[in-house]
Amino acid sequence: MDTQTTMILAKAIVAGLSALGAGCGMSGGIGPGIGEGYAVGKAIESMARQPEMRGTLTTTMFMGCAVAETTGIYSLIIALILIFANPLIGYFNF
Amino acid sequence: MNVEISGPRILLSIPQLGGFVLTESVVITWVVMLVLVLLCRFLTKNMQVRPTKKRQVIAEWMVTSIQGLVKNDMGPRFVSTGYVPFIGALFALSAGCSISSVFGVKAPTSDLSTVLGWAVVVFILITYNKIRSGGIGGYLKSFTEPVFVMTPMNLISEIATPLSMTFRHFGNIVSGTVITALIYGGLAALSHGVLGLIPGALGKTLSQIPIFQFGLPAVLSLYFDFFSSFMQAFIFCTLTMVYIGGAAGD
């Protein structure tokens, strides 16, 4: 194989593995999903027990969900970087 | 059918000014700011002690709710300070920028730089409040607590505050953009495939019209454009208030 073919092959391998990595990385969305579901379930339980606390509970629940979501958002950012702004392919641009 | 997901377009670039670029998000943010200023002018026109107009009631409701938020999250002594207009402006700008995607433009908040700018402002305010409450010595000493070995961890968590705020807002808005683009592309392909089954010229003509794009994206837009926008603006402001209130101490 000449150099150019090797380069194209290397790029193809990096691009394919990056896409695979992005997909695997988005499994980080499982954790926040479970956690948020748990938080919302607990909030509904408390609302059923004390309906007059509804306003405060809803606000606090959304706040907690937003903070719990952070790790999921991080994996989304990693996936977006891998797909749209892949830094690894740059190694083969010579 | 082509799905295109990209960053903000560059409208103008001046290499003489050190590579200055004017992006789409900056221009849209200006428009949103202009709309907000005009809205404020309109709502506060001819104010009276006893409100007779509906718009004054709306304006008073907005100010009172922001004051209530600041009172709850930062403490009663912050109600008469400049933080109320700051939080209100941050909320209005964030919500306005995200909602602008309803009008078919690219939301400025799906650009990382926009949100990072706000987070840097918040970070400066947090640091200012920490230094003001504990003095510069107390601020530097707070990094070595509880033990000196923890200093790198404390530094990282200090930097992580604005970064996580940025990524949370940016990630939520941009995920909405990506999902909407993918659904539009998928629906176009679906209608092309299904209507292409009709034989003859009729099927060929009909399959060019993405008829399935009618309906479902509107429901998604309701969630991503309205609910998510207000939610993220609210969360960004609440985190700002909590961090600043915590930094200012008692």
Side-chain angles (χ1 to χ4, degrees):
Chain A
M1 273 192 289
D2 57 349
T3 323
Q4 206 183 351
T5 322
T6 319
M7 278 300 140
I8 291 172
L9 194 63
K11 269 191 188 180
I13 291 173
V14 167
L17 287 181
S18 298
L20 197 65
C24 291
M26 275 316 288
S27 63
I30 297 173
I34 296 173
E36 280 177 31
Y38 198 69
V40 175
K42 283 283 177 195
I44 289 172
E45 246 174 52
S46 334
M47 269 180 224
R49 205 171 293 138
Q50 278 179 298
E52 69 275 6
M53 289 289 286
R54 191 192 166 90
T56 324
L57 279 173
T58 315
T59 319
T60 319
M61 181 195 77
F62 275 127
M63 220 27 241
C65 283
V67 176
E69 213 170 49
T70 310
T71 47
I73 294 292
Y74 285 165
S75 58
L76 174 77
I77 301 281
I78 301 283
L80 285 178
I81 289 174
L82 277 179
I83 293 174
F84 294 114
N86 198 324
L88 306 172
I89 281 192
Y91 290 130
F92 300 98
N93 278 339
F94 44 77
Chain B
M1 180 215 54
N2 48 350
V3 180
E4 194 185 323
I5 299 160
S6 62
R9 279 198 300 274
I10 292 172
L11 301 176
L12 182 75
S13 76
I14 309 169
Q16 286 82 12
L17 287 176
F20 171 80
V21 285
L22 184 67
T23 58
E24 204 181 3
S25 11
V26 177
V27 176
I28 297 166
T29 312
W30 285 342
V31 174
V32 170
M33 279 154 68
L34 190 70
V35 169
L36 287 177
V37 167
L38 290 179
L39 187 73
C40 288
R41 287 287 298 167
F42 170 72
L43 286 176
T44 57
K45 214 164 63 181
N46 286 332
M47 288 217 289
Q48 273 134 25
V49 178
R50 283 184 180 281
T52 50
K53 295 230 169 60
K54 228 179 240 170
R55 58 176 181 230
Q56 192 185 339
V57 178
I58 294 174
E60 284 181 5
W61 170 74
M62 284 176 176
V63 173
T64 325
S65 6
I66 299 288
Q67 278 176 342
L69 276 180
V70 171
K71 195 177 170 188
N72 274 336
D73 294 338
M74 291 174 78
R77 71 198 169 96
F78 284 99
V79 173
S80 55
T81 58
Y83 285 108
V84 176
F86 172 69
I87 298 292
L90 201 59
F91 184 89
L93 190 58
S94 168
C97 282
S98 305
I99 283 180
S100 68
S101 64
V102 170
F103 301 103
V105 296
K106 191 177 167 59
T109 37
S110 60
D111 181 359
L112 187 64
S113 316
T114 311
V115 195
L116 188 61
W118 301 341
V120 165
V121 171
V122 172
F123 179 68
I124 291 170
L125 272 176
I126 293 170
T127 312
Y128 166 74
N129 271 300
K130 273 185 184 166
I131 292 176
R132 209 178 64 158
S133 71
I136 189 116
Y139 172 67
L140 291 176
K141 194 173 176 294
S142 73
F143 284 110
T144 62
E145 275 164 8
V147 280
F148 183 74
V149 195
M150 292 292 280
T151 309
M153 297 290 167
N154 285 331
L155 279 175
I156 289 172
S157 78
E158 193 75 7
I159 301 295
T161 307
L163 275 186
S164 79
M165 279 174 88
T166 313
F167 283 146
R168 186 174 300 125
H169 198 306
F170 165 77
N172 270 288
I173 303 296
V174 92
S175 65
T177 316
V178 170
I179 291 172
T180 313
L182 288 178
I183 292 236
Y184 266 113
L187 287 175
L190 190 68
S191 52
H192 185 81
V194 171
L195 295 175
L197 294 176
I198 303 170
L202 180 70
K204 226 170 224 174
T205 322
L206 273 181
S207 65
Q208 296 304 315
I209 310 166
I211 207 155
F212 289 149
Q213 281 185 359
F214 191 77
L216 178 63
V219 182
L220 284 174
S221 160
L222 205 64
Y223 174 77
F224 286 127
D225 290 336
F226 286 98
F227 179 74
S228 189
S229 300
F230 275 108
M231 205 62 235
Q232 288 314 311
F234 175 71
I235 285 161
F236 196 85
C237 290
T238 312
L239 285 176
T240 305
M241 287 186 284
V242 169
Y243 283 135
I244 292 178
D250 301 314

